[in-house]
Amino acid sequence: MKPTVIPHAAYQHFVMEQLHARYGRAILFVNADWPLVLKCWQTDLSGVTTQLRTTYSNRGPEPRDPASMLRSYLVYLFTNPEKGLTEWVNIMQRTPIYAILSGFSPDDIPGLGTFYDFFRRLWPVADKNIKPNKQPKKKKKQKPKNKKGEKAPMKPGKVQRLVTWVLRSIDVHVELPGDRLFHFFETNILSVSKELGLLGDADHLSIAGDGTPLVTQAYRRSKATCDCRARGITGCNHHRYYSQPDCDPGWDSSRERYFNGYHLYMFTAADSPHDLPVYPRLQPASRHDAVSLVASSVEFQQRFTLGTTRRMILDAAHDAQAIYELLIHQEIEPFIDLNTRSKTNIETGSDIEISPEGIPICPKGTKMKPNGYDKARHRRKWRCPPDCGCSDAKYGRTYYTRTQDDPRLFPNTPRDSKAWELIYNTRTSSERTNKREKVDYHLESGRHQSTMMWYMRIYGIMICQHLDAWYVSQKEEWDLLKKDICPAAA
Ligand SMILES: [Zn+2]
Ligand SMILES: [Zn+2]
C-alpha cells in the first residue's frame, strides 16, 4: 500500500496522547529535553510522505509513515550521532520518549531494515554508489610535499579545461542521485529558513563555498576478482572489487595525513548569522576545491529555485582565471582571495605596471591610490599625488582599470575596500558549518559503505542545523508552546 499522508497536527496529537498514557497528565520534561521536544513538535515533515508516495506500490501491507522514519533519524542525529543506527533502534527501546517523539508507539518500533528501506526510497537509482565496485587496479599515489595546513596545489590547466567544457553545456540538466534529497530539503527546510529570514537575502544569496576532508576509512580496501595470485601470476591487470568505489585517497592538510574517503564540498549561506548549509556535494578525496566548486556552482544554479545567487565567496585555493569566467557567466560576483605566489609586477604596455595584488604602480615605483569609480565608463580611477614626482600634471598622474579587462585583478568591488572586507569576512561561515557537522554532529562516525548513506547522513545533519537555527531564532515564541504540550510545565 501507499503510505497515508499524516497531517502534522495528527502527529502532535499522537505525541500528546502517548506521553499522557505513559507518564500521566503531569509529565515534566527536564530543561535539556525541551529543545528536542519543541523541534519535533514544530517541524512538519509530512512533505516527505507526499514526495515518496509514488515509490510505494499499491499492494501489500501499509508501510511505516515516512515522515516518522525521517523524524526518528533526526532525533537520532540530535541525541546519539556518535552511535550506529543498529544501536539507535536499541536506544529507542530503552528510551520510550525518543520513540514517541519520532512518532512511534514504544511497543512498536521499526527495525533497522525498515530504516534502510526508507532511505532507499530517497535514492532514485539502483546502485548505492555512483561508480561501479569493480574497477581497474589503482596505482599508489605519491605523497604531496605540502607544508602543514597547505592544500594540494591546483593545476590551472585542469580547471580551465573543465570550465570550457562546462560552459559549452551549462544548460544541460543532468540528474543526480542526490536530487530527491535536495528536493525535499529545499521545499521543506530551506523554504522555511528563507521565510524566517535565516538565509540572509535569500532572493539574492551570498554563498560561501569550501571543501573539507570526510574520512571513511584509514586505507582503501579492495579484493581481487580473479584467482591469478593462487595460480602464481603476480601483477595481473584484472579489475579489483572496491568496497567504497566513490572514495579515493586524499591528503588531509590540517591533520597532516593520508586518508581514504570523500572531499565534502559545501555551500553555506554566508549572510546567515547561523551559518546555514544550502548545498552539499561529495567528491573523491583527491579532488581539489577549485574543481569541486565548478561542479557545485553549475548544479546549484540549476536546482535552487527559491532565489538567485548574487555572490560567491571563496578562499585563495579557488583563485583561477577560469573560476572568474564561470561565475561571471552565471551572473555571480566572485569574491576570491588572491593566491599571489608571483612577486613580479605585470606589464601593461605603458609605463605603469600592475602589482600581483592588482594595484597600479607608477614609473617611480609608488603604489597608486584608488580615486573613485566612473560608472558611465565602467572604470576605476587611480592616482599618484603630485608630490610623487612621476608626472607634471597638476593633480598628479592618473590611471584607469576596467573589471572586464581582468576580473581577477580588478574585481567590481576593490579588494582593499571596506565593502570587500565586510563581504569576504563572511566566508568563515563555511568553516563554521563544516566544523559543526564534523565536531558537533559527528559526521565521520557514520561508518557507512555507500555514498547513498553518506548523503543521508549529510542531509540529516544539515536539516538538524536548520532546525537548531529555527529554535534559537524563535525561542521566545516556541517556549510559549511548552504549556500546551505539558500544562504542568507552566
Ligand atoms: Zn588477475
Ligand atoms: Zn607616482
Side-chain angles (χ1 to χ4, degrees):
M1 273 174 71
K2 291 191 182 297
T4 315
V5 179
I6 300 173
H8 190 62
Y11 158 76
Q12 291 173 329
H13 183 76
F14 168 87
V15 170
M16 290 280 264
E17 217 174 49
Q18 287 284 324
L19 289 177
H20 292 163
R22 208 150 264 271
Y23 304 101
R25 291 215 151 261
I27 46 148
L28 270 178
F29 293 108
V30 295
N31 274 334
D33 286 335
W34 272 114
L36 177 66
V37 174
L38 290 170
K39 283 171 208 169
C40 291
W41 186 262
Q42 286 293 84
T43 307
D44 183 352
L45 297 174
S46 60
V48 76
T49 310
T50 314
Q51 189 187 330
L52 292 183
R53 262 179 72 83
T54 53
T55 70
Y56 290 86
S57 79
N58 286 316
R59 275 181 288 243
E62 171 141 29
R64 289 278 181 176
D65 170 37
S68 299
M69 296 305 295
L70 176 60
R71 202 180 297 110
S72 187
Y73 188 55
L74 299 180
V75 175
Y76 151 70
L77 291 169
F78 274 129
T79 59
N80 287 276
E82 71 287 359
K83 307 259 173 60
L85 265 179
T86 318
E87 185 54 21
W88 172 241
V89 174
N90 297 335
I91 292 170
M92 276 198 284
Q93 309 275 8
R94 289 197 298 267
T95 324
I97 178 86
Y98 291 158
I100 294 169
L101 285 177
S102 301
F104 306 133
S105 159
D107 314 316
D108 183 25
I109 292 168
L112 189 63
T114 313
F115 276 95
Y116 284 107
D117 175 75
F118 164 71
F119 295 140
R120 211 73 190 74
R121 293 173 192 278
L122 281 164
W123 189 256
V125 292
D127 286 327
K128 293 183 205 162
N129 288 301
I130 292 159
K131 291 184 194 144
N133 287 97
K134 284 182 189 174
Q135 292 181 27
K137 195 173 174 178
K138 299 283 186 317
K139 289 189 203 92
K140 285 229 161 68
K141 282 184 189 165
Q142 283 283 307
K143 189 177 171 176
K145 296 177 195 78
N146 297 345
K147 286 188 205 118
K148 185 168 168 70
E150 214 174 69
K151 294 185 184 178
M154 161 180 55
K155 300 186 184 87
K158 191 176 173 186
V159 182
Q160 183 64 60
R161 280 193 299 279
L162 177 65
V163 167
T164 308
W165 180 79
V166 153
L167 285 177
R168 247 184 274 138
S169 55
I170 198 154
D171 297 321
V172 180
H173 186 109
V174 180
E175 278 187 41
L176 296 168
D179 281 353
R180 238 176 233 177
L181 279 164
F182 181 73
H183 180 72
F184 171 79
F185 179 66
E186 181 182 40
T187 47
N188 294 274
I189 306 296
L190 283 180
S191 60
V192 176
S193 291
K194 176 183 174 176
E195 202 115 306
L196 294 175
L198 301 177
L199 298 178
D201 180 0
D203 291 322
H204 314 92
L205 272 184
S206 279
I207 287 181
D210 204 5
T212 189
L214 198 173
V215 181
T216 61
Q217 298 177 327
Y219 302 98
R220 176 151 51 177
R221 292 193 194 111
S222 68
K223 52 181 189 241
T225 59
C226 59
D227 61 352
C228 296
R229 257 191 104 93
R231 294 193 284 128
I233 305 165
T234 53
C236 73
N237 286 321
H238 292 120
H239 281 33
R240 292 184 69 81
Y241 183 94
Y242 289 90
S243 58
Q244 298 185 353
D246 299 333
C247 296
D248 74 357
W251 178 248
D252 183 343
S253 54
S254 62
R255 293 169 179 148
E256 269 207 304
R257 62 167 185 235
Y258 259 114
F259 72 102
N260 195 67
Y262 300 96
H263 173 74
L264 169 60
Y265 197 85
M266 186 66 82
F267 277 169
T268 302
D271 282 348
S272 159
H274 304 275
D275 311 317
L276 290 176
V278 295
Y279 188 72
R281 184 70 153 87
L282 288 176
Q283 303 275 3
S286 62
R287 193 133 299 170
H288 193 279
D289 274 341
V291 174
S292 302
L293 175 274
V294 174
S296 287
S297 188
V298 172
E299 290 168 11
F300 184 70
Q301 303 318 315
Q302 289 179 347
R303 282 160 182 77
F304 185 67
T305 58
L306 302 175
T308 57
T309 307
R310 173 164 61 159
R311 299 177 184 129
M312 194 73 83
I313 307 154
L314 307 165
D315 69 14
H318 301 79
D319 180 25
Q321 204 69 253
I323 303 263
Y324 288 88
E325 198 184 315
L326 170 71
L327 295 178
I328 289 165
H329 180 92
Q330 295 183 301
E331 297 178 8
I332 300 171
E333 188 179 354
F335 286 78
I336 307 176
D337 206 8
L338 281 177
N339 190 359
T340 46
R341 288 221 176 86
S342 144
K343 295 275 177 282
T344 49
N345 292 340
I346 299 147
E347 306 215 355
T348 60
S350 74
D351 55 352
I352 304 277
E353 293 186 343
I354 308 291
S355 80
E357 292 81 28
I359 296 167
I361 311 283
C362 83
K364 289 233 162 185
T366 311
K367 280 188 178 178
M368 298 179 80
K369 294 262 177 290
N371 194 237
Y373 190 77
D374 181 351
K375 272 198 177 136
R377 293 158 92 170
H378 303 287
R379 58 185 199 177
R380 188 166 307 286
K381 189 177 179 183
W382 300 79
R383 272 161 73 108
C384 236
D387 55 11
C388 169
C390 61
S391 164
D392 303 333
K394 192 176 169 195
Y395 298 106
R397 183 72 194 261
T398 54
Y399 187 74
Y400 297 93
T401 56
R402 285 151 38 105
T403 300
Q404 68 183 75
D405 292 339
D406 191 335
R408 178 179 169 267
L409 281 180
F410 314 125
N412 243 328
T413 308
R415 279 200 182 77
D416 54 358
S417 63
K418 194 78 201 155
W420 175 283
E421 191 188 325
L422 287 175
I423 292 164
Y424 193 78
N425 282 346
T426 62
R427 197 198 65 80
T428 45
S429 61
S430 62
E431 280 160 17
R432 286 191 295 272
T433 302
N434 289 342
K435 186 195 146 282
R436 205 161 150 59
E437 290 162 1
K438 283 166 83 172
V439 179
D440 302 349
Y441 280 107
H442 298 265
L443 172 61
E444 289 168 313
S445 300
R447 291 188 289 264
H448 302 303
Q449 290 285 327
S450 67
T451 298
M452 175 186 100
M453 279 312 297
W454 280 110
Y455 267 117
M456 296 298 151
R457 190 166 177 92
I458 290 165
Y459 271 104
I461 291 174
M462 288 166 63
I463 295 172
C464 290
Q465 288 172 278
H466 281 261
L467 267 51
D468 287 339
W470 300 354
Y471 174 68
V472 171
S473 62
Q474 315 293 307
K475 196 171 178 307
E476 276 172 34
E477 207 178 302
W478 284 23
D479 278 348
L480 295 176
L481 297 164
K482 285 181 184 176
K483 60 178 184 300
D484 295 339
I485 304 169
C486 166

